[in-house]
Amino acid sequence: MTDVHISLPPALRRALELLSDPPADPDVSRGYLDLLGAAGGDAVEKNTGPIQAAWASPIGSMLYDNAQALSRRVLTAFQHPAEWLSIPSGGVALDVGSGPGNVTSALAHSAGPDGLALGVDISEPMLARAARNEAGPHVGFIRADAQRLPLRDNTVDAVVSMAVLQLVPDPAAALAEMARVLRPGGRLAIMVPTAGRAARLWQLLPNIGAHAFGEDEIADILEDNGFTSVRVKNLGTFQTVRAKNG
């Protein structure tokens, strides 16, 4: 291991060991591991809609607090994902679209003193805030795209994605990536806004940067990717989906 790697924060040093293509000179200058660089990466489709642009801005990062307050109320009604995921002691948990990182740190707590929780996001303001407020010896953050997760196959024990998939240009690709990195028997928990039966009408509108999920859309994609025990629960305009990998 090089001196550069030894000098990394402990969580990010462990993260490098899980990457499919670890960088020789990792950029952690802003407190998170940046795998996209200034260009933001060019290998996958990007969300250029106005909703995503606002969400990824510094103002959007601050407004996320209001969305988080709503999400916490919704999660209270559903059950917090960490309570269902059964993360093994010393396990690895992945938060896809981690935002300010509060869910990521909760996953680290569930994984115990030898565990690791990694948050992946594409927004630099969100990641800067997460690294400042939530990073620690067992919590690290990575700038990467959900449609091409940087981890090797079968490297994590649990995956969470809270109110993010609607902003991903190709949600099916992101879900397939979650399946790829999740170990057999690992659990997944997702929450998204849903338009229910009105989803098809929403999808006919011009692209504004947010996908409207139908009632069974996510469940069908997960089953196509080998997930079992898929459970869907709706509460108002929110939907949670839970599943086991294989």
Side-chain angles (χ1 to χ4, degrees), residues 128-150:
R129 182 176 175 184
R132 182 172 63 251
N133 296 334
E134 304 291 349
H138 308 288
V139 181
F141 296 94
I142 301 173
R143 184 167 179 246
D145 196 300
Q147 299 163 109
R148 180 173 286 185
L149 293 173

Side-chain angles (χ1 to χ4, degrees), residues 1-207:
M1 183 177 293
T2 67
D3 291 340
V4 172
H5 291 175
I6 293 173
S7 66
L8 292 175
L12 294 181
R13 187 164 65 244
R14 290 179 64 184
L16 283 178
E17 299 172 358
L18 304 177
L19 298 183
S20 56
D21 186 20
D25 186 16
D27 179 4
V28 295
S29 59
R30 290 173 290 277
Y32 55 85
L33 176 61
D34 191 345
L35 297 179
L36 296 181
D42 56 6
V44 293
E45 182 183 356
K46 297 179 178 61
N47 187 341
T48 57
I51 291 179
Q52 171 63 16
W55 205 244
S57 71
I59 293 176
S61 179
M62 291 186 292
L63 291 176
Y64 194 91
D65 283 338
N66 294 327
Q68 279 290 302
L70 175 60
S71 295
R72 281 192 291 271
R73 290 195 292 270
V74 172
L75 286 173
T76 299
F78 281 118
Q79 181 186 35
H80 195 282
E83 298 175 13
W84 178 83
L85 290 168
S86 298
I87 303 169
S89 179
V92 179
L94 178 66
D95 183 6
V96 178
S98 51
N102 53 326
V103 172
T104 317
S105 60
L107 295 175
H109 179 76
S110 297
D114 296 320
L116 175 66
L118 297 175
V120 170
D121 208 296
I122 202 169
S123 166
E124 293 176 272
M126 290 287 189
L127 286 164
R129 182 176 175 184
R132 182 172 63 251
N133 296 334
E134 304 291 349
H138 308 288
V139 181
F141 296 94
I142 301 173
R143 184 167 179 246
D145 196 300
Q147 299 163 109
R148 180 173 286 185
L149 293 173
L151 304 175
R152 300 194 311 272
D153 296 357
N154 307 322
T155 48
V156 303
D157 299 288
V159 178
V160 164
S161 183
M162 298 286 107
V164 171
L165 277 178
Q166 74 278 3
L167 299 175
V168 176
D170 189 349
L175 289 166
E177 281 291 275
M178 294 179 204
R180 180 183 64 78
V181 303
L182 188 61
R183 292 188 178 111
R187 295 187 175 191
L188 171 146
I190 291 172
M191 183 177 74
V192 293
T194 178
R197 295 178 180 176
R200 291 186 179 181
L201 295 177
W202 176 281
Q203 292 165 7
L204 293 175
L205 298 175
N207 178 31

